[in-house]
Every structure is written in C-alpha cells, then in structure tokens.
Amino acid sequence: MNLTIEEVQGNKGLCGNITGLPACGSSPLIKKHVKDKQKKLLVTILCPLLGSFLLLCAFYGGLRLHDQWRKSSGTEDMDMKKGNFFSVCSYDGKALYKEIVMATEEFNDIFCIGKGGYGSVYRAELPSGDVIAVKKLHHVPEMAMHRSFLNEIKALTEIKHRNIVKLFGFCSNSRHSFLVYEYLERGSLAKILSMEEEAMELDWQKRLKIIKGIAHALSYMHHDCSPAIVHRDLSSNNILLDPEYEAHISDFGTSKFLKIDSSNWSSLAGTYGYVAPEFAYTMKVTEKCDVYSFGVLTMEVIKGKHPGDLIAYLMSSKPENIELKDLLDQRLLYPSQEIERNLKSVLKLVRAY
C-alpha cells in the first residue's frame, strides 16, 4: 500500500490502489486467469460425465448385438429347450414364476377354480396382494412350433379392451407351463346361470349388458385387430364377469390369427353345442365361426340355459309364430315393455346371423 509505481514497475498483471496501476477488477490478465480456471473446472466435470455416457451406450449396443447374435445362432431356442424361458409383461418373470408356484402350493386342487380341455385355472394371491388367474397348460406346443406360439402369446398380451380378459404373459420351465391372466371374482357366466340365486341376480338389464359387452369384444377382435383374431371357442364357460357384471371374453387357447386372403384351414376346435355346423365339414376358420357361437351364447343368456333344440326351432319357424315367453328364463319376471322390445331386437339379429 505504501509502495510507489516506480518500485513495482516491470511486474505484469499487478493491480491495486497505487497510482499508475489498474484497478483489480479491470485487469485483462486477471480476467483471463479467472476464465481459464472456469474452463478447467468445466472440463473436469464434463469429461467423466461424457465418458460414462459413452460407456453406457457401448454397453447397450453390445447387449443388442449379443441378443441379435443369439437369435440368429439359435441360442435362444436352446434356452427354451432347457426350460429357462419367461415372458411376463411388466413383471420380473422368474420371480413371478416362483411366487405363483408358492401361492398355489405347487398347483394344489384347493386353489383350482376351473378346468378345461387345455388346462386348469388356479387362483393365486401374490405377496404384493395382487390376485391373478393362472391357467396351467396340459400341453405346450412342440419346440418346432414354440416360437410361433410365443409370438401369438406376445400379440395377445398387447390386446387392450374392456370386454376382453387381460393376458399378462406366459411362464414356462421344465416342470410347469402356464398363462397368467387378470382375475375376475364373479367367475364364469356358465357357473352363474347354473345357480338359482346367482341367476336371479342377473336381471334383464344386466343380461342385455352382458350381450352388448360380448358383441363389442368380438367386433374389436374381428375388425380392429390386425391380423383379425377368431376365438373359435366362444361359450358361457369362457365369459367371465367382473363385480359390475361386465362381460369379459377369456381363454384364447384355441384362437386363430387370420391372414388376409388366406384359407385358414384348421383342426376342429370349440365346445359342442356352440360350433357352427358348417365348420365341422369345411374346417375353414373365419369370423363367422364366432358369430354363430355368439348367437347360441346370446340365446343362452336370455333363456338361462343352453338353447339346445330351440336353435333349430328358431331358425325354421316364422317370426310371427315364435312366442317370446318361450325363449325367456322363467326364473325372472316377465320384462317391461322397453326391455321386451330390446330382447326382441336382439333375438331378431341372432336369427338373421
């Protein structure tokens, strides 16, 4: 502070309150020094971040290349043969597999809620509190067909419709193979119609709602999916109801994916009494297979039981000769005029198709 300008001359970059020196905030050299320190700090921070990002990209790229190599070399098929394949949407497949086996006590009959030609269905409550329906398959397609089977399962997991039971995925190893579905607590329409008290809870308004829900689901499968999906086994056993009596189509175990302008020949599948007569000898899968089954199912909802010989009677008789009361579930009171008109309209459509 007491020095003169003559005593400090020749020293670059000095600043201060001495007459002849620049003020400390305005020295170009000081500014340059500060900027250099800032640049070094920025480089010190950015370099590790950039390096980490590049490493992550390289790791991800390596995984993708490895996955493609596995697919092209058949390694993935080998894993399937060893029984290590798990495909469950939004879940850790291996963990879920173990939880299901534990929740059902190795598929104990006390957890079984239904049996069919393709497998038995179990109720499984997971540690998270979620309840799911698990269909343990009696038979899994041969390895030659395994990839197409899994592709079909993957496509079905992407179906989202309020009247179609959600399929979460497929789990398989050398011991068990099963499909994982959402759980609908009221169970099947067939079970409800077979029980006196439960059937009487299904008033005419609810039954029309069920018919409408099934129609919406079929319309979605046939016209909004690409390729179209034909269920091929539409029956009251495969219609599940939620707490609000909303209908949900389930069990796509025999579904057939249609390709445009293809013949779609297939083996006979479906439930006796619901299969279109012409399918028995043409063996050609089209949406009409489901339409016929829907007609039978609609009559069953209205009648309260499978219509049986009433189908032939309804098809052969003139509309004016058919009494509505003969087609109704006698356990319910006769419908109001508005409901009666709706039921007649539905039966007219059923007869037309």
Side-chain angles (χ1 to χ4, degrees):
M1 291 294 293
N2 298 322
L3 296 175
T4 63
I5 186 64
E6 288 80 11
E7 290 174 298
V8 295
Q9 278 180 343
N11 293 288
K12 294 181 178 180
L14 290 183
C15 65
N17 294 328
I18 300 174
T19 304
L21 288 181
C24 284
S26 61
S27 172
L29 290 172
I30 294 294
K31 288 181 179 179
K32 183 176 183 301
H33 179 67
V34 171
K35 287 181 180 178
D36 287 344
K37 287 188 72 174
Q38 288 175 341
K39 285 181 181 177
K40 285 181 181 178
L41 182 63
L42 194 62
V43 169
T44 305
I45 295 171
L46 287 179
C47 280
L49 288 175
L50 185 61
S52 301
F53 177 73
L54 291 173
L55 277 173
L56 282 172
C57 289
F59 181 70
Y60 178 72
L63 285 177
R64 290 293 299 272
L65 288 172
H66 178 66
D67 187 51
Q68 290 176 0
W69 173 79
R70 288 182 68 198
K71 288 180 179 179
S72 62
S73 64
T75 308
E76 189 177 18
D77 285 336
M78 290 301 293
D79 282 349
M80 291 179 191
K81 288 176 184 177
K82 292 175 184 175
N84 295 327
F85 185 81
F86 297 86
S87 172
V88 182
C89 296
S90 71
Y91 287 97
D92 178 345
K94 292 185 179 181
L96 180 64
Y97 178 90
K98 292 177 182 177
E99 289 179 2
I100 289 172
V101 172
M102 289 179 64
T104 58
E105 296 179 8
E106 291 275 352
F107 298 100
N108 192 308
D109 283 346
I110 62 173
F111 298 98
C112 185
I113 56 175
K115 293 186 178 182
Y118 298 92
S120 299
V121 182
Y122 297 81
R123 182 186 184 276
E125 184 170 352
L126 304 178
S128 63
D130 294 328
V131 180
I132 55 175
V134 181
K135 182 164 189 176
K136 185 173 180 288
L137 302 175
H138 297 323
H139 171 71
V140 179
E142 296 296 327
M143 274 324 201
M145 296 295 290
H146 211 149
R147 187 176 295 280
S148 62
F149 171 75
L150 292 174
N151 287 339
E152 187 167 314
I153 294 297
K154 185 177 183 298
L156 290 172
T157 60
E158 295 170 1
I159 290 177
K160 292 180 180 178
H161 192 278
R162 64 177 299 181
N163 296 113
I164 296 177
V165 174
K166 179 62 182 171
L167 173 65
F168 294 126
F170 170 70
C171 286
S172 178
N173 73 2
S174 56
R175 296 181 63 194
H176 305 298
S177 296
F178 49 79
L179 298 165
V180 184
Y181 291 94
E182 71 172 308
Y183 176 74
L184 295 172
E185 59 189 71
R186 288 199 183 275
S188 72
L189 176 63
K191 183 191 78 173
I192 292 173
L193 290 176
S194 67
M195 301 166 67
E196 193 79 16
E197 191 173 331
E198 295 280 341
M200 291 179 70
E201 282 290 315
L202 280 182
D203 58 33
W204 295 118
Q205 199 69 47
K206 289 173 183 172
R207 296 192 188 205
L208 285 170
K209 179 182 177 181
I210 289 169
I211 293 168
K212 191 182 293 185
I214 300 168
H216 284 315
L218 285 180
S219 177
Y220 170 81
M221 290 160 54
H222 293 173
H223 304 295
D224 297 330
C225 292
S226 182
I229 301 173
V230 176
H231 190 283
R232 299 201 304 163
D233 193 16
L234 199 62
S235 69
S236 55
N237 283 308
N238 290 330
I239 303 299
L240 304 181
L241 302 182
D242 65 17
E244 284 72 43
Y245 292 96
E246 191 76 51
H248 300 256
I249 295 180
S250 72
D251 197 353
F252 288 81
T254 57
S255 65
K256 177 73 175 180
F257 279 68
L258 292 180
K259 294 181 180 178
I260 298 172
D261 299 327
S262 68
S263 59
N264 291 300
W265 299 96
S266 173
S267 59
L268 182 62
T271 302
Y272 178 76
Y274 297 87
V275 181
E278 65 272 16
F279 183 56
Y281 56 86
T282 64
M283 307 299 284
K284 187 176 181 180
V285 178
T286 68
E287 292 93 333
K288 292 180 180 179
C289 299
D290 286 346
V291 173
Y292 180 88
S293 300
F294 171 69
V296 176
L297 185 55
T298 298
M299 291 181 65
E300 182 175 357
V301 173
I302 294 173
K303 181 69 176 171
K305 60 182 180 181
H306 190 281
D309 294 336
L310 270 176
I311 298 173
Y313 171 71
L314 190 65
M315 298 302 124
S316 60
S317 302
K318 294 180 180 180
E320 58 270 17
N321 295 335
I322 300 171
E323 290 283 344
L324 180 62
K325 62 181 179 64
D326 296 332
L327 305 175
L328 300 181
D329 190 340
Q330 301 303 311
R331 293 172 291 188
L332 299 183
L333 295 174
Y334 196 83
S336 64
Q337 286 188 344
E338 183 183 354
I339 297 293
E340 183 182 11
R341 282 196 301 270
N342 290 333
L343 289 171
K344 285 181 178 179
S345 177
V346 168
L347 288 168
K348 184 179 179 182
L349 283 172
V350 168
R351 191 171 183 275
Y353 287 97

PDB file of all heavy atoms in Angstrom, residues 170-187:
ATOM      1  N   PHE A 170     -46.780 -65.379 -20.209  1.00  0.00           N
ATOM      2  CA  PHE A 170     -46.612 -66.835 -20.233  1.00  0.00           C
ATOM      3  C   PHE A 170     -45.339 -67.187 -19.477  1.00  0.00           C
ATOM      4  O   PHE A 170     -44.306 -66.550 -19.647  1.00  0.00           O
ATOM      5  CB  PHE A 170     -46.515 -67.284 -21.691  1.00  0.00           C
ATOM      6  CG  PHE A 170     -46.095 -68.720 -21.870  1.00  0.00           C
ATOM      7  CD1 PHE A 170     -46.943 -69.749 -21.537  1.00  0.00           C
ATOM      8  CD2 PHE A 170     -44.857 -69.042 -22.387  1.00  0.00           C
ATOM      9  CE1 PHE A 170     -46.586 -71.075 -21.718  1.00  0.00           C
ATOM     10  CE2 PHE A 170     -44.469 -70.353 -22.570  1.00  0.00           C
ATOM     11  CZ  PHE A 170     -45.333 -71.376 -22.237  1.00  0.00           C
ATOM     12  N   CYS A 171     -45.428 -68.169 -18.585  1.00  0.00           N
ATOM     13  CA  CYS A 171     -44.257 -68.654 -17.852  1.00  0.00           C
ATOM     14  C   CYS A 171     -44.070 -70.139 -18.142  1.00  0.00           C
ATOM     15  O   CYS A 171     -45.050 -70.886 -18.221  1.00  0.00           O
ATOM     16  CB  CYS A 171     -44.454 -68.475 -16.340  1.00  0.00           C
ATOM     17  SG  CYS A 171     -44.311 -66.788 -15.767  1.00  0.00           S
ATOM     18  N   SER A 172     -42.820 -70.529 -18.275  1.00  0.00           N
ATOM     19  CA  SER A 172     -42.582 -71.942 -18.556  1.00  0.00           C
ATOM     20  C   SER A 172     -41.190 -72.362 -18.095  1.00  0.00           C
ATOM     21  O   SER A 172     -40.226 -71.603 -18.211  1.00  0.00           O
ATOM     22  CB  SER A 172     -42.716 -72.207 -20.058  1.00  0.00           C
ATOM     23  OG  SER A 172     -42.437 -73.559 -20.344  1.00  0.00           O
ATOM     24  N   ASN A 173     -41.110 -73.567 -17.536  1.00  0.00           N
ATOM     25  CA  ASN A 173     -39.820 -74.231 -17.346  1.00  0.00           C
ATOM     26  C   ASN A 173     -40.056 -75.726 -17.514  1.00  0.00           C
ATOM     27  O   ASN A 173     -41.112 -76.139 -17.996  1.00  0.00           O
ATOM     28  CB  ASN A 173     -39.179 -73.858 -16.006  1.00  0.00           C
ATOM     29  CG  ASN A 173     -39.870 -74.497 -14.808  1.00  0.00           C
ATOM     30  OD1 ASN A 173     -40.828 -75.257 -14.955  1.00  0.00           O
ATOM     31  ND2 ASN A 173     -39.398 -74.175 -13.624  1.00  0.00           N
ATOM     32  N   SER A 174     -39.104 -76.532 -17.146  1.00  0.00           N
ATOM     33  CA  SER A 174     -39.215 -77.973 -17.405  1.00  0.00           C
ATOM     34  C   SER A 174     -40.350 -78.631 -16.613  1.00  0.00           C
ATOM     35  O   SER A 174     -40.810 -79.711 -16.958  1.00  0.00           O
ATOM     36  CB  SER A 174     -37.886 -78.664 -17.079  1.00  0.00           C
ATOM     37  OG  SER A 174     -37.512 -78.396 -15.736  1.00  0.00           O
ATOM     38  N   ARG A 175     -40.824 -77.966 -15.547  1.00  0.00           N
ATOM     39  CA  ARG A 175     -41.856 -78.571 -14.693  1.00  0.00           C
ATOM     40  C   ARG A 175     -43.259 -78.067 -15.006  1.00  0.00           C
ATOM     41  O   ARG A 175     -44.205 -78.825 -15.039  1.00  0.00           O
ATOM     42  CB  ARG A 175     -41.531 -78.297 -13.226  1.00  0.00           C
ATOM     43  CG  ARG A 175     -40.241 -78.952 -12.756  1.00  0.00           C
ATOM     44  CD  ARG A 175     -40.002 -78.654 -11.303  1.00  0.00           C
ATOM     45  NE  ARG A 175     -41.048 -79.214 -10.464  1.00  0.00           N
ATOM     46  CZ  ARG A 175     -41.232 -78.873  -9.194  1.00  0.00           C
ATOM     47  NH1 ARG A 175     -40.463 -77.954  -8.650  1.00  0.00           N
ATOM     48  NH2 ARG A 175     -42.199 -79.441  -8.499  1.00  0.00           N
ATOM     49  N   HIS A 176     -43.405 -76.752 -15.186  1.00  0.00           N
ATOM     50  CA  HIS A 176     -44.733 -76.168 -15.355  1.00  0.00           C
ATOM     51  C   HIS A 176     -44.739 -75.162 -16.500  1.00  0.00           C
ATOM     52  O   HIS A 176     -43.760 -74.458 -16.726  1.00  0.00           O
ATOM     53  CB  HIS A 176     -45.183 -75.447 -14.076  1.00  0.00           C
ATOM     54  CG  HIS A 176     -45.161 -76.292 -12.851  1.00  0.00           C
ATOM     55  ND1 HIS A 176     -45.941 -77.418 -12.702  1.00  0.00           N
ATOM     56  CD2 HIS A 176     -44.445 -76.178 -11.695  1.00  0.00           C
ATOM     57  CE1 HIS A 176     -45.716 -77.955 -11.517  1.00  0.00           C
ATOM     58  NE2 HIS A 176     -44.806 -77.222 -10.885  1.00  0.00           N
ATOM     59  N   SER A 177     -45.881 -75.081 -17.175  1.00  0.00           N
ATOM     60  CA  SER A 177     -46.113 -74.042 -18.179  1.00  0.00           C
ATOM     61  C   SER A 177     -47.508 -73.478 -17.934  1.00  0.00           C
ATOM     62  O   SER A 177     -48.466 -74.237 -17.818  1.00  0.00           O
ATOM     63  CB  SER A 177     -46.027 -74.629 -19.593  1.00  0.00           C
ATOM     64  OG  SER A 177     -44.720 -75.100 -19.854  1.00  0.00           O
ATOM     65  N   PHE A 178     -47.607 -72.159 -17.852  1.00  0.00           N
ATOM     66  CA  PHE A 178     -48.920 -71.585 -17.577  1.00  0.00           C
ATOM     67  C   PHE A 178     -49.050 -70.175 -18.132  1.00  0.00           C
ATOM     68  O   PHE A 178     -48.064 -69.479 -18.377  1.00  0.00           O
ATOM     69  CB  PHE A 178     -49.229 -71.595 -16.081  1.00  0.00           C
ATOM     70  CG  PHE A 178     -48.135 -71.047 -15.199  1.00  0.00           C
ATOM     71  CD1 PHE A 178     -47.964 -69.678 -15.056  1.00  0.00           C
ATOM     72  CD2 PHE A 178     -47.290 -71.904 -14.502  1.00  0.00           C
ATOM     73  CE1 PHE A 178     -46.974 -69.176 -14.238  1.00  0.00           C
ATOM     74  CE2 PHE A 178     -46.289 -71.413 -13.680  1.00  0.00           C
ATOM     75  CZ  PHE A 178     -46.137 -70.033 -13.547  1.00  0.00           C
ATOM     76  N   LEU A 179     -50.313 -69.791 -18.347  1.00  0.00           N
ATOM     77  CA  LEU A 179     -50.663 -68.447 -18.782  1.00  0.00           C
ATOM     78  C   LEU A 179     -51.134 -67.652 -17.572  1.00  0.00           C
ATOM     79  O   LEU A 179     -51.786 -68.205 -16.682  1.00  0.00           O
ATOM     80  CB  LEU A 179     -51.778 -68.498 -19.831  1.00  0.00           C
ATOM     81  CG  LEU A 179     -51.436 -69.234 -21.131  1.00  0.00           C
ATOM     82  CD1 LEU A 179     -52.711 -69.528 -21.910  1.00  0.00           C
ATOM     83  CD2 LEU A 179     -50.491 -68.416 -21.980  1.00  0.00           C
ATOM     84  N   VAL A 180     -50.814 -66.363 -17.543  1.00  0.00           N
ATOM     85  CA  VAL A 180     -51.158 -65.507 -16.408  1.00  0.00           C
ATOM     86  C   VAL A 180     -52.181 -64.466 -16.855  1.00  0.00           C
ATOM     87  O   VAL A 180     -51.903 -63.662 -17.751  1.00  0.00           O
ATOM     88  CB  VAL A 180     -49.907 -64.808 -15.843  1.00  0.00           C
ATOM     89  CG1 VAL A 180     -50.268 -63.988 -14.609  1.00  0.00           C
ATOM     90  CG2 VAL A 180     -48.822 -65.826 -15.511  1.00  0.00           C
ATOM     91  N   TYR A 181     -53.365 -64.508 -16.249  1.00  0.00           N
ATOM     92  CA  TYR A 181     -54.467 -63.613 -16.616  1.00  0.00           C
ATOM     93  C   TYR A 181     -54.859 -62.728 -15.430  1.00  0.00           C
ATOM     94  O   TYR A 181     -54.545 -63.038 -14.276  1.00  0.00           O
ATOM     95  CB  TYR A 181     -55.716 -64.410 -17.001  1.00  0.00           C
ATOM     96  CG  TYR A 181     -55.639 -65.190 -18.283  1.00  0.00           C
ATOM     97  CD1 TYR A 181     -55.261 -66.530 -18.290  1.00  0.00           C
ATOM     98  CD2 TYR A 181     -55.987 -64.600 -19.496  1.00  0.00           C
ATOM     99  CE1 TYR A 181     -55.227 -67.260 -19.477  1.00  0.00           C
ATOM    100  CE2 TYR A 181     -55.952 -65.320 -20.684  1.00  0.00           C
ATOM    101  CZ  TYR A 181     -55.571 -66.642 -20.662  1.00  0.00           C
ATOM    102  OH  TYR A 181     -55.546 -67.358 -21.824  1.00  0.00           O
ATOM    103  N   GLU A 182     -55.635 -61.669 -15.736  1.00  0.00           N
ATOM    104  CA  GLU A 182     -56.265 -60.914 -14.659  1.00  0.00           C
ATOM    105  C   GLU A 182     -57.363 -61.790 -14.050  1.00  0.00           C
ATOM    106  O   GLU A 182     -57.931 -62.655 -14.705  1.00  0.00           O
ATOM    107  CB  GLU A 182     -56.848 -59.594 -15.170  1.00  0.00           C
ATOM    108  CG  GLU A 182     -58.075 -59.726 -16.045  1.00  0.00           C
ATOM    109  CD  GLU A 182     -58.730 -58.402 -16.368  1.00  0.00           C
ATOM    110  OE1 GLU A 182     -59.013 -57.630 -15.434  1.00  0.00           O
ATOM    111  OE2 GLU A 182     -58.960 -58.146 -17.569  1.00  0.00           O
ATOM    112  N   TYR A 183     -57.633 -61.568 -12.776  1.00  0.00           N
ATOM    113  CA  TYR A 183     -58.614 -62.380 -12.052  1.00  0.00           C
ATOM    114  C   TYR A 183     -59.938 -61.628 -11.962  1.00  0.00           C
ATOM    115  O   TYR A 183     -59.980 -60.458 -11.584  1.00  0.00           O
ATOM    116  CB  TYR A 183     -58.087 -62.694 -10.653  1.00  0.00           C
ATOM    117  CG  TYR A 183     -59.063 -63.448  -9.780  1.00  0.00           C
ATOM    118  CD1 TYR A 183     -59.312 -64.799  -9.998  1.00  0.00           C
ATOM    119  CD2 TYR A 183     -59.731 -62.802  -8.748  1.00  0.00           C
ATOM    120  CE1 TYR A 183     -60.205 -65.501  -9.199  1.00  0.00           C
ATOM    121  CE2 TYR A 183     -60.622 -63.496  -7.941  1.00  0.00           C
ATOM    122  CZ  TYR A 183     -60.857 -64.836  -8.170  1.00  0.00           C
ATOM    123  OH  TYR A 183     -61.744 -65.526  -7.375  1.00  0.00           O
ATOM    124  N   LEU A 184     -61.028 -62.307 -12.333  1.00  0.00           N
ATOM    125  CA  LEU A 184     -62.372 -61.732 -12.247  1.00  0.00           C
ATOM    126  C   LEU A 184     -63.177 -62.572 -11.260  1.00  0.00           C
ATOM    127  O   LEU A 184     -63.468 -63.744 -11.514  1.00  0.00           O
ATOM    128  CB  LEU A 184     -63.037 -61.704 -13.624  1.00  0.00           C
ATOM    129  CG  LEU A 184     -62.337 -60.783 -14.639  1.00  0.00           C
ATOM    130  CD1 LEU A 184     -62.912 -60.956 -16.021  1.00  0.00           C
ATOM    131  CD2 LEU A 184     -62.450 -59.329 -14.217  1.00  0.00           C
ATOM    132  N   GLU A 185     -63.531 -61.952 -10.143  1.00  0.00           N
ATOM    133  CA  GLU A 185     -64.014 -62.710  -8.993  1.00  0.00           C
ATOM    134  C   GLU A 185     -65.370 -63.374  -9.168  1.00  0.00           C
ATOM    135  O   GLU A 185     -65.658 -64.379  -8.517  1.00  0.00           O
ATOM    136  CB  GLU A 185     -64.053 -61.805  -7.756  1.00  0.00           C
ATOM    137  CG  GLU A 185     -64.925 -60.582  -7.913  1.00  0.00           C
ATOM    138  CD  GLU A 185     -64.756 -59.615  -6.756  1.00  0.00           C
ATOM    139  OE1 GLU A 185     -63.696 -58.980  -6.663  1.00  0.00           O
ATOM    140  OE2 GLU A 185     -65.696 -59.514  -5.963  1.00  0.00           O
ATOM    141  N   ARG A 186     -66.246 -62.858 -10.039  1.00  0.00           N
ATOM    142  CA  ARG A 186     -67.575 -63.483 -10.171  1.00  0.00           C
ATOM    143  C   ARG A 186     -67.518 -64.803 -10.934  1.00  0.00           C
ATOM    144  O   ARG A 186     -68.472 -65.583 -10.900  1.00  0.00           O
ATOM    145  CB  ARG A 186     -68.545 -62.522 -10.855  1.00  0.00           C
ATOM    146  CG  ARG A 186     -68.954 -61.362  -9.962  1.00  0.00           C
ATOM    147  CD  ARG A 186     -70.222 -60.700 -10.449  1.00  0.00           C
ATOM    148  NE  ARG A 186     -70.567 -59.562  -9.626  1.00  0.00           N
ATOM    149  CZ  ARG A 186     -71.245 -59.624  -8.499  1.00  0.00           C
ATOM    150  NH1 ARG A 186     -71.682 -60.794  -8.058  1.00  0.00           N
ATOM    151  NH2 ARG A 186     -71.505 -58.533  -7.796  1.00  0.00           N
ATOM    152  N   GLY A 187     -66.450 -65.036 -11.637  1.00  0.00           N
ATOM    153  CA  GLY A 187     -66.310 -66.315 -12.335  1.00  0.00           C
ATOM    154  C   GLY A 187     -67.049 -66.349 -13.653  1.00  0.00           C
ATOM    155  O   GLY A 187     -67.385 -65.312 -14.235  1.00  0.00           O
TER     156      GLY A 187
END
